[in-house]
Amino acid sequence: QVAVNMVIYGFIVWVPTFLMKQGLGMASSLGYTALMALGGPAGALLGVLLADRIGRRKGLIAVSVLTAVIGWLYGHSTGIEMATLLGFLLFTLTYLMVALGIATYIPELFATENRMRANGMAGCAGRITGICAPQLVVMMYAAGGVKDVLTMIIGTLVVLAVVLAAFGIETNRRSLEDIAPSIDTNDPLPASSLSQ
């Protein structure tokens, strides 16, 4: 949640501003952003098609690395046509991460007794990131422009890939009981009390 919200609120929502700061007018900036934004539905559709085929953990690692590479290329693109194509790919990959991570992977990590609470805590961490990311973008942009903003986002994606590779578990084609075993019924704190 933290990494995905960093990409969304650190890059995606700032694209029109970045394009205007690079010399495009408001109408042109919004037009190119609209073209890039078509990647959102494409990424969600790819998530539907790929989540069960490639797995959530492996998919998130691959997409994080690919997004970092495309982000670096976007930061070094010289023409608006190339920036638009790379921006479209960034939107697509970002919403593919939403589909693989937020919609499928995170909810599958927790035992039934804790799923709503744990998923809510993950969502809260993501929302806090969504609040802080714009302020970080302003500071990074003032310090070094779009390239510094992209460096921050690329760093977040690399951390995501490393954490998932080191600690993540694959949830694809596994039962929830296998992933997160239910609380022992002999436990002095019954499962029903956890839901309160």
Side-chain angles (χ1 to χ4, degrees), residues 11-12 67 70-71 74 85-95:
F11 174 74
I12 299 291
T67 305
I70 298 294
Y74 179 89
L85 174 63
L86 293 170
F88 173 84
L89 292 174
L90 282 171
F91 271 74
T92 301
L93 293 168
T94 299
Y95 286 96

Side-chain angles (χ1 to χ4, degrees), residues 68-154:
V69 170
I70 298 294
W72 185 87
L73 291 172
Y74 179 89
H76 290 83
S77 61
T78 54
I80 189 63
E81 295 82 10
M82 183 57 70
T84 303
L85 174 63
L86 293 170
F88 173 84
L89 292 174
L90 282 171
F91 271 74
T92 301
L93 293 168
T94 299
Y95 286 96
L96 177 53
M97 281 193 295
V98 169
L100 290 176
I102 295 173
T104 56
Y105 186 64
I106 294 172
E108 293 175 345
L109 291 174
F110 308 104
T112 303
E113 295 85 1
N114 301 316
R115 185 166 303 121
M116 291 301 290
R117 183 177 298 119
N119 201 28
M121 289 171 62
C124 182
R127 292 298 176 201
I128 290 170
T129 303
I131 292 167
C132 296
Q135 281 73 32
L136 290 171
V137 167
V138 169
M139 289 188 304
M140 298 300 286
Y141 189 83
V146 176
K147 288 183 182 180
D148 278 10
V149 173
L150 289 171
T151 299
M152 174 182 68
I153 293 168
I154 290 166

Side-chain angles (χ1 to χ4, degrees), residues 1-194:
Q1 286 266 11
V2 168
V4 171
N5 278 287
M6 179 61 79
V7 176
I8 292 172
Y9 294 102
F11 174 74
I12 299 291
V13 300
W14 285 91
V15 167
T17 303
F18 294 154
L19 291 175
M20 286 179 62
K21 290 292 186 181
Q22 292 170 326
L24 289 178
M26 169 98 56
S28 296
S29 171
L30 293 175
Y32 286 115
T33 301
L35 289 174
M36 292 179 200
L38 293 174
L45 179 60
L46 278 174
V48 169
L49 299 174
L50 296 176
D52 288 333
R53 292 190 178 149
I54 62 174
R56 287 89 156 113
R57 177 180 165 267
K58 291 176 191 171
L60 281 168
I61 292 169
V63 172
S64 296
V65 170
L66 188 56
T67 305
V69 170
I70 298 294
W72 185 87
L73 291 172
Y74 179 89
H76 290 83
S77 61
T78 54
I80 189 63
E81 295 82 10
M82 183 57 70
T84 303
L85 174 63
L86 293 170
F88 173 84
L89 292 174
L90 282 171
F91 271 74
T92 301
L93 293 168
T94 299
Y95 286 96
L96 177 53
M97 281 193 295
V98 169
L100 290 176
I102 295 173
T104 56
Y105 186 64
I106 294 172
E108 293 175 345
L109 291 174
F110 308 104
T112 303
E113 295 85 1
N114 301 316
R115 185 166 303 121
M116 291 301 290
R117 183 177 298 119
N119 201 28
M121 289 171 62
C124 182
R127 292 298 176 201
I128 290 170
T129 303
I131 292 167
C132 296
Q135 281 73 32
L136 290 171
V137 167
V138 169
M139 289 188 304
M140 298 300 286
Y141 189 83
V146 176
K147 288 183 182 180
D148 278 10
V149 173
L150 289 171
T151 299
M152 174 182 68
I153 293 168
I154 290 166
T156 303
L157 291 167
V158 169
V159 168
L160 173 63
V162 169
V163 167
L164 282 172
F167 304 108
I169 59 169
E170 183 55 68
T171 61
N172 194 34
R173 302 191 189 276
R174 294 176 64 194
S175 71
L176 293 176
E177 293 78 14
D178 181 39
I179 296 165
S182 192
I183 293 176
D184 184 8
T185 56
N186 295 325
D187 191 340
L189 184 62
S192 61
S193 69
L194 292 176

